[in-house]
Amino acid sequence: MTDQETVETVDRTHPPAAAPPTVGRAEFDTALAAQVALEKEVTRHDDRVSAARRRLPMVQVEDYVFAGRCGPVRLVELFGDRLLLLVQHVMFDPEWEQGCPSCTWAVDNLPSNMGRLTDEGISFAMVSQAPIEKLQGWAKERGWDHRWVSSYKTTYHYDWGWTQTDDTGTEGQLPGYSYYLLRDGIPYLTYMTTARGTEAILPVAHIMDRTCYGRRQDWEDSPVGWPQEPTYG
């Protein structure tokens, strides 16, 4: 999502006309076993991908000075007293008055108890390109208390490709996550992901995937007659 499209509220209380075929218990168990076998393959492949991720090199990152709720905040300060840092890139163009709807949905997907990340030695922060005043206003409206800093007066978004310019000169932002490691007081980027790579930590999306109707979005490969709507309303 590259602009402030409005996500429509879809009525999901009325049952769709289409539904899975009804079968006996034995036939259901056989079909489910075949599905589980497919998912085991995905799990094992994901383990191999994770193993490769742990073997990625890292790159040193400038100790940017962001704008925070109480004043300037250096990148290294976002680590707190921990060595690992997860940064969520929330799309919020400086000209917008509200955050990106899909990024807002992603923030709402975060664990209700962020202390679970802290227990694992991982700090968390959000960064956006809009001025800090706009971020604070949107956080208040959404009821968020996550640490959220602004890169408005830095080159951070441009340096790392979170804001890009197309062939027409139009700027667009990307959603995603950056993972950092702090060593000897120096921040290093160890991994970053955008687009559908962000889905790995969106529990609601995975819950929807396992219902019979999936996410009900028009890009999904679903049976004929399955309810589907445009992805962004």
Side-chain angles (χ1 to χ4, degrees):
M1 189 169 189
T2 57
D3 56 22
Q4 246 187 330
E5 298 175 79
T6 300
V7 179
E8 298 177 358
T9 301
V10 179
D11 182 4
R12 299 180 186 273
T13 60
H14 292 83
T22 301
V23 298
R25 176 63 184 272
E27 187 174 348
F28 174 79
D29 287 348
T30 298
L32 180 60
Q35 177 64 27
V36 170
L38 290 175
E39 294 180 358
K40 292 289 187 182
E41 292 179 16
V42 173
T43 299
R44 287 190 286 269
H45 179 69
D46 190 56
D47 288 342
R48 292 191 292 272
V49 171
S50 294
R53 188 184 303 114
R54 291 190 293 272
R55 288 165 173 77
L56 285 173
M58 62 184 183
V59 60
Q60 184 175 338
V61 178
E62 176 186 338
D63 190 13
Y64 293 90
V65 180
F66 303 110
R69 183 182 306 168
C70 300
V73 182
R74 293 166 54 208
L75 175 58
V76 295
E77 293 180 277
L78 298 180
F79 286 84
D81 59 358
R82 289 168 285 278
L83 301 178
L84 299 171
L85 170 66
L86 166 61
V87 170
Q88 180 169 353
H89 302 276
V90 180
M91 290 168 53
F92 202 136
D93 186 273
E95 300 301 318
W96 297 352
E97 297 303 321
Q98 298 181 336
C100 160
S102 60
C103 289
T104 295
W105 187 79
V107 176
D108 288 339
N109 264 255
L110 290 169
S112 59
N113 182 2
M114 293 296 284
R116 294 295 186 180
L117 280 182
T118 303
D119 292 344
E120 300 301 329
I122 304 170
S123 292
F124 175 78
M126 305 189 306
V127 62
S128 296
Q129 197 174 12
I132 187 63
E133 295 78 15
K134 290 188 175 183
L135 306 188
Q136 289 178 305
W138 191 234
K140 182 178 180 180
E141 182 170 336
R142 299 300 304 178
W144 297 338
D145 61 359
H146 309 297
R147 191 168 200 177
W148 198 1
V149 296
S150 167
S151 69
Y152 182 59
K153 293 185 177 180
T154 77
T155 58
Y156 176 83
H157 263 69
Y158 300 105
D159 293 345
W160 297 98
W162 296 109
T163 295
Q164 300 182 356
T165 304
D166 64 19
D167 294 337
T168 67
T170 303
E171 286 189 356
Q173 298 189 6
L174 295 175
Y177 301 91
S178 293
Y179 293 76
Y180 293 97
L181 171 67
L182 189 67
R183 284 184 66 84
D184 299 321
I186 299 173
Y188 294 88
L189 179 69
T190 61
Y191 176 68
M192 60 189 296
T193 188
T194 186
R196 294 197 63 191
T198 64
E199 295 180 3
I201 55 176
L202 297 180
V204 174
H206 290 285
I207 291 171
M208 294 170 71
D209 284 341
R210 285 155 181 77
T211 67
C212 61
Y213 294 120
R215 303 185 197 183
R216 304 190 185 198
Q217 295 179 357
D218 54 8
W219 59 268
E220 291 180 286
D221 181 1
S222 296
V224 175
W226 249 230
Q228 291 189 319
E229 301 112 11
T231 300
Y232 294 121

